[in-house]
Amino acid sequence: MSKPFIKIEKLSKQFETSNSTIQVLKDINLNLDSGKIIAITGPSGSGKSTFLHLLALLDKPTKGKISILGQSINNLSEYNKNKMIRDNISIIFQNNNLLSDFTAIENVAMPLIIRNKNYNYSIKQAEKFLKKVNLGKRLKHFPSDLSGGEQQRVAIARSLISETKIILADEPTGNLDYKNSIEVFSYFLKLKQKNKIIIIATHNRELANKADYTLSLSNGIIKRENG
Ligand SMILES: Nc1ncnc2c1ncn2[C@@H]1O[C@H](COP(=O)(O)OP(=O)(O)O)[C@@H](O)[C@H]1O
Ligand SMILES: [Mg+2]
């Protein structure tokens, strides 16, 4: 048997605040394989974003271990951590995190530019990916001149351009209307055929049902549903 793409062992996360401890994830064990779309559902505050941030190496577990492609990510040096992120991980944030001083096309080109790709090539690629999310007519718009849904589609194009193996999406269709949600999701479906692993936190039941399976998060425990 080949190694799981992502292996999670006894993962726990708690937050300390001035007067209490919030236990968000408790002793989670999971193997996640590539070529799958996995939905994460759960009520607001159940820890979906926390879980995605741990997988994206943006935060550290309180206890337990995450391995990506057989490599433990717990004790990576700063250099190796950044390399792991650059080579393998894209995240679409709940609040899209676009750079307000850059146009749509520049925002999307950014992951390539910071990977030292040629500028003109990066811009060409950005145009291609913006067209895939139906924003071919918004290339030179600044984020503030785009609707919430359009901004989210720019963020999605930006996460796709670096062609990483792991794509984490935190409620990516939260601001989109029905038609755009279905369209964006169909793009995630294409990615899965490229043997990527796509993990999507969502409140949208219909989209969750289109995933290969759902991880439902409640009281710190993750249960696998359907499949
Ligand atoms: N940095 C933090 N410090 C303290 N509490 C936090 C922090 N981040 C998240 N939490 C708490 O952890 C719980 C899970 O939050 P979150 O992962 O954002 O949930 P979800 O994405 O499912 O809505 C919430 O109760 C939230 O208030
Ligand atoms: Mg969240």
Side-chain angles (χ1 to χ4, degrees), residues 49 94 170-171:
S49 297
Q94 203 159 355
D170 199 348
E171 304 196 28

Side-chain angles (χ1 to χ4, degrees), residues 171-182:
E171 304 196 28
T173 61
N175 296 322
L176 302 184
D177 59 24
Y178 180 77
K179 182 169 162 279
N180 277 311
S181 309
I182 297 291

Side-chain angles (χ1 to χ4, degrees), residues 15 17 22 24 43-50 94:
F15 292 108
T17 60
I22 306 168
V24 182
S44 177
S46 59
K48 301 180 296 297
S49 297
T50 302
Q94 203 159 355

Side-chain angles (χ1 to χ4, degrees), residues 69-82:
L69 295 163
Q71 187 177 10
S72 165
I73 61 174
N74 280 40
N75 296 310
L76 291 177
S77 65
E78 201 59 23
Y79 175 86
N80 284 329
K81 187 175 106 176
N82 288 331

Side-chain angles (χ1 to χ4, degrees), residues 62-202:
T62 310
K63 277 196 224 144
K65 183 170 150 187
I66 300 175
S67 308
I68 295 179
L69 295 163
Q71 187 177 10
S72 165
I73 61 174
N74 280 40
N75 296 310
L76 291 177
S77 65
E78 201 59 23
Y79 175 86
N80 284 329
K81 187 175 106 176
N82 288 331
K83 182 166 161 46
M84 171 65 84
I85 295 172
R86 207 168 52 232
D87 292 349
N88 296 299
I89 303 166
S90 292
I91 183 162
I92 301 164
F93 291 98
Q94 203 159 355
N95 56 354
N96 79 54
N97 278 19
L98 296 177
L99 301 167
S100 57
D101 293 337
F102 292 88
T103 61
I105 198 165
E106 289 166 341
N107 265 284
V108 175
M110 207 57 80
L112 296 183
I113 292 168
I114 61 177
R115 286 171 173 82
N116 291 321
K117 303 281 187 214
N118 172 281
Y119 182 82
N120 290 334
Y121 166 81
S122 303
I123 292 287
K124 278 248 157 57
Q125 286 293 102
E127 181 173 352
K128 190 172 112 189
F129 278 84
L130 278 167
K131 284 181 175 161
K132 286 187 206 249
V133 294
N134 274 337
L135 286 175
K137 297 207 167 92
R138 298 285 187 277
L139 304 178
K140 301 274 172 67
H141 282 54
F142 287 91
S144 56
D145 298 327
L146 296 169
S147 71
E150 287 171 338
Q151 289 176 24
Q152 198 60 344
R153 282 186 281 150
V154 174
I156 289 163
R158 182 182 57 180
S159 77
L160 301 179
I161 196 168
S162 45
E163 313 225 46
T164 56
K165 297 193 193 88
I166 301 170
I167 294 165
L168 307 170
D170 199 348
E171 304 196 28
T173 61
N175 296 322
L176 302 184
D177 59 24
Y178 180 77
K179 182 169 162 279
N180 277 311
S181 309
I182 297 291
E183 238 169 61
V184 161
F185 203 84
S186 69
Y187 199 67
F188 287 132
L189 286 170
K190 280 187 209 153
L191 292 171
K192 141 180 147 153
Q193 286 151 14
K194 295 189 180 176
N195 210 30
K196 294 180 189 283
I197 179 162
I198 301 135
I199 307 179
I200 306 174
T202 184

